[in-house]
Amino acid sequence: AQSVTQPDARVTVSEGASLQLRCKYSSSVTPYLFWYVQYPRQGLQLLLKYYSGDPVVQGVNGFEAEFSKSNSSFHLRKASVHWSDSAVYFCAVSMKGGRALIFGTGTTVSVSP
Amino acid sequence: AQTIHQWPVAEIKAVGSPLSLGCTIKGKSSPNLYWYWQATGGTLQQLFYSITVGQVESVVQLNLSASRPKDDQFILSTEKLLLSHSGFYLCAWSLWGGNQDTQYFGPGTRLLVL
C-alpha cells in the first residue's frame, strides 16, 4: 500500500528566505507525485507534478520539486518566499491508472515579514 | 477552459437532517469525478469516484452516498447527518490515461453539523 509522510507539520520562514518542504513516500513502484497548495478556506491548487524523466520539475509561482528514487522523496523548494505563500502544502501520490490520490498530512507554512 | 463548481459554498445543518452537495464540471467530456473529505485542520480522504454516468465506487464508508446523474454532475448525499460529517468536502476531476491522471479540485463546500 502507498503512503506519504510529511514530517514537518509547521514551518515558519521570513519573507525572502528560501523554503524546503519534505515529502517521503512508500510504494512498491515509482508512483506519480504531486504537490498541492491550499490557501485559507479554499480548495486545492496544483503546484507541480512528476510522472517520469527529469527529476527536477518546475511548477507555478517559482516552486520546484526534486524526485529522488533512492530516497523515496519528492521535496518542494522555493528560492525566495513571499507573504502570499503562506498556506498549507500537501504532497500526494497516485499509481498510474489508479483512482486513488493519497495525501500526506500537510505542512503549514507561515511567512513572516 | 474547464471550470468546476461546487454548491452550496457552506452549510450549517442539524444532526439527523438530510444533506445534498453538488459538483459540476464544465468544459471536459467524460471526466473521472471524485469526492474528498477534509476534517478541519486535517488531510484529505477520498470518499468516492466515478468514471462514467451512473457508476460510482465507494472508497471509504462514512454513511454517505454518491451519484452521477449526468456526465458533468456528481452528487454527495446522506439521509441522516452525523456530527462526524462536519468538515470540508472537495470535488475533483481528472481525465483518463497517462499524464492526464492529474486531479484538479473545486473550491469546496464547508459543512458544519450541530
Side-chain angles (χ1 to χ4, degrees):
Chain A
Q2 298 168 288
S3 66
V4 180
T5 301
Q6 293 181 249
D8 304 308
R10 288 188 172 275
V11 171
T12 300
V13 294
S14 299
E15 194 165 23
S18 63
L19 174 70
Q20 174 168 289
L21 302 182
R22 295 182 290 165
C23 172
K24 297 207 73 170
Y25 67 89
S26 174
S27 177
S28 55
V29 297
T30 300
Y32 292 161
L33 296 152
F34 307 86
W35 277 99
Y36 289 87
V37 60
Q38 185 175 35
Y39 298 103
R41 306 184 72 79
Q42 293 186 27
L44 271 69
Q45 298 177 27
L46 179 70
L47 279 178
L48 44 78
K49 58 191 176 187
Y50 174 80
Y51 290 119
S52 64
D54 189 337
V56 179
V57 290
Q58 303 296 321
V60 298
N61 297 334
F63 284 94
E64 69 174 25
E66 183 165 5
F67 165 68
S68 171
K69 186 173 182 178
S70 60
N71 294 323
S72 297
S73 67
F74 189 54
H75 300 331
L76 182 71
R77 302 189 293 244
K78 186 170 183 178
S80 177
V81 296
H82 186 262
W83 63 267
S84 59
D85 293 322
S86 296
V88 182
Y89 293 78
F90 289 97
C91 182
V93 302
S94 72
M95 298 306 298
K96 179 182 177 181
R99 303 286 182 263
L101 190 57
I102 309 298
F103 284 88
T105 49
T107 298
T108 299
V109 173
S110 298
V111 180
S112 58
Chain B
Q2 70 287 337
T3 59
I4 178 169
H5 175 58
Q6 288 188 241
W7 73 92
V9 172
E11 280 262 51
I12 299 176
K13 303 278 281 186
V15 169
S17 63
L19 175 76
S20 181
L21 304 181
C23 172
T24 297
I25 316 296
K26 295 298 183 186
K28 288 295 177 187
S29 180
S30 303
N32 300 320
L33 297 175
Y34 311 85
W35 277 112
Y36 288 82
W37 172 74
Q38 183 182 30
T40 302
T43 190
L44 287 91
Q45 188 170 35
Q46 191 179 83
L47 301 176
F48 299 93
Y49 69 85
S50 171
I51 61 173
T52 191
V53 174
Q55 225 176 29
V56 176
E57 298 294 331
S58 173
V59 178
V60 174
Q61 282 291 340
L62 288 180
N63 292 305
L64 295 167
S65 61
S67 64
R68 188 167 176 179
K70 295 192 267 188
D71 185 55
D72 63 354
Q73 196 172 82
F74 206 19
I75 306 295
L76 184 71
S77 61
T78 182
E79 292 185 3
K80 271 187 153 182
L81 278 166
L82 307 173
L83 286 174
S84 57
H85 286 137
S86 292
F88 197 39
Y89 289 84
L90 290 140
C91 180
W93 66 270
S94 72
L95 295 178
W96 170 240
N99 61 9
Q100 299 189 87
D101 281 347
T102 302
Q103 294 186 25
Y104 298 91
F105 288 80
T109 294
R110 198 162 298 276
L111 174 66
L112 178 61
V113 182
L114 300 173

